[in-house]
Amino acid sequence: MSTDSTSAPRKLLRASRSRLLAGALMLGVTGMLSAQTLLPGQPAYAEPVRVQSAAPADFSQVVTAVQPAVVSVRVKQAAEPQMMNFGGRSQPGFGIPGLDAFPEGHPLQRFFERRGEGQRSQPRGEPKAYGMSQGSGFFISDDGYVVTNHHVIDKGTEFTVIDNEGNELEARLIGADSRTDLALLKVEGEKPFTYVRFAEDSPAVGEWVVAIGNPFGLGGTVTAGIVSARGRDIGAGPYDDFLQIDAPVNRGNSGGPAFNMKGEVIGVNAAIFSPSGGNVGIAFAIPASTATNVVSDLKDSGTVVRGWLGVQIQPITSDIADSLGLAKPEGAIVSDPQSGSPADKAGVKAGDTILKVDGKPIKGPRDLSRIIASYAPQTKVRLTLWRDGAEEDITVTLGKLNEPGAVAEVSPSLSGKTQLADLGIEVTDARRAGLDVEGVVVTAIDPNGRAAEKGLRQGDIIAEVAGQKVTSAKDVETAIAKAEKAGRKAVLMRIFSDDASRFVAVPLA
C-alpha cells in the first residue's frame, strides 16, 4: 500500500517532466523555424537585411530653428524685351503661346503674370529700362553675409533681401562665381542676424532633407524629401558635383538652402530637371563642400582664384584601359598639354594618364578638374601618371586660371594609299597628301569596320599608335603588331581632327 502510494507521485512527476521537456523542445524548433524558416533537407541562409529606423514625426523643430535665416532675394536688372524673369533666368512668355496677344488689362494676362515669381519688365508701350527677378538666399553670419546663386544676381544693379518677417534690407554684391553658380551678398544692419552653418559631413543617400525658399514669389515655403543621389554631373560647368534631392523645388528656390535634420546646410538649391517647368521630384543642389570653399574666397577677395594645370583630358574607357594595360578604367588621359602651360613645362605628355594628385585617386576628368581647382596658384602638386605601362610621379607648379579655359578640360569628341584591312581604313602619309602635319591621313573608311565603330572618319589624322609616332602605314602596322605581342586587346590611337586631338582605342582582332 505504501509502495503504491509512493510510486504514484513519482510517476506523476516523471510525466510532468516529460511534458515540460517536450514543450521546451517544441519551442526551440518553432523558434528556429520562425528565425530561419528551416525545413528538413533545406540549406541554411544568412539573415536578410533588417533595419530599425523611424521617420521623424515632423520637421517643425528644424524649420522653427532655421527659417529666420532664410531670405528672399529681389534683384533689379537690365530688362530684355518681352521676357519674364525667374530666379535670375529669363524665360520668354512662360512658354505660353499668345501671352502678349492678350489686350492690356485682360484677366488672363494678369493671371499668367501672377503665376511666376517675376513681373513683366514694364507695361507694354513704355520703355523697358529695367526688370525684376527673385530668388532665395540665407544668412551665413550674424553680420549679414548672404549666400545665393550667381544666376539669381546676374546682371543685377540693385539687390534687396527680404527677411522672414517681411523686412526689406538693402544689400551689396561682394562677389560671384559663375563656374559654381554661387554669389555672396552683404546686408548692413545694427542687429545680429540669425544665421546657419554649412555641414562638414556629406549627406548619405536616403537622408532626410528640408528645402526652404521663395518659389514663385511665395517666400518662406518649406518642402521635405530625401537625398536621391550624389555626384551628379548635369553639364552646368566643369566642377559639377551636385546633390540630387526630391524635396519639391521650383522657380524661385534658386539660392535657397537644403538642410539636414541638424539644421545644417548640406546644399544650395540651384537647378531642377523639369520638362514642364514645374517640380517633378528631381532637383540639384551645390554641395556644402563646394560652397564652403567658394564662399570663403568670395568673402576674402570678392573672387575665386583657382589653380591651373593646362591640359586637355578625356575619360578612360574600358577599351582605352585595355590598350594602356590599366587594371581599371579610371583616371584621365591627357589628349593635349597646352603649350607653355604648367603641365607642359613639367613634362606631361599626350597619352599620359593622370591617376592621382597628391595621392588622391582620380576617377575621371571631373575629379581632376575639381581637385586642381581647389589648389591656389603656385602650389606644387605631385601627379601620379601612367606612362609606358608603369606609374611615374612628377611635380607640377600650378599656374593661375585667368580665362574661361581649361583647368583640366575634357576634349571634345572628334571623330601612295595603303589599306589596313584589319582596321577597316585606308591611309596615306599626311605630308604626301599635301597636309603640313605629321602622321597618316584616313583617306577611306569601311563604315562597318572596327575603326568606324570607334568614331574614326575620313580625313582624320592618326598621329600616334600605341604611344609611337607614325608617318606611314608601315609605322601603323608595326605599332599594332607590338601591341598584339604585348597582349593588348585594343590599340590606342591619337587622332587629330579640326585642330583638336583625342584618343581612340580600336579593338584588335
Side-chain angles (χ1 to χ4, degrees), residues 190-203:
E190 296 181 0
K191 66 177 182 178
F193 298 97
T194 301
Y195 68 98
V196 289
R197 297 183 182 276
F198 287 110
E200 295 182 359
D201 299 325
S202 298

Side-chain angles (χ1 to χ4, degrees), residues 13 61 254 287 324 329 356 365 395 400 457 467 479:
L13 179 61
Q61 289 187 343
S254 291
L324 293 173
K356 299 177 184 177
T395 300
K400 178 181 178 182
R457 302 185 310 221

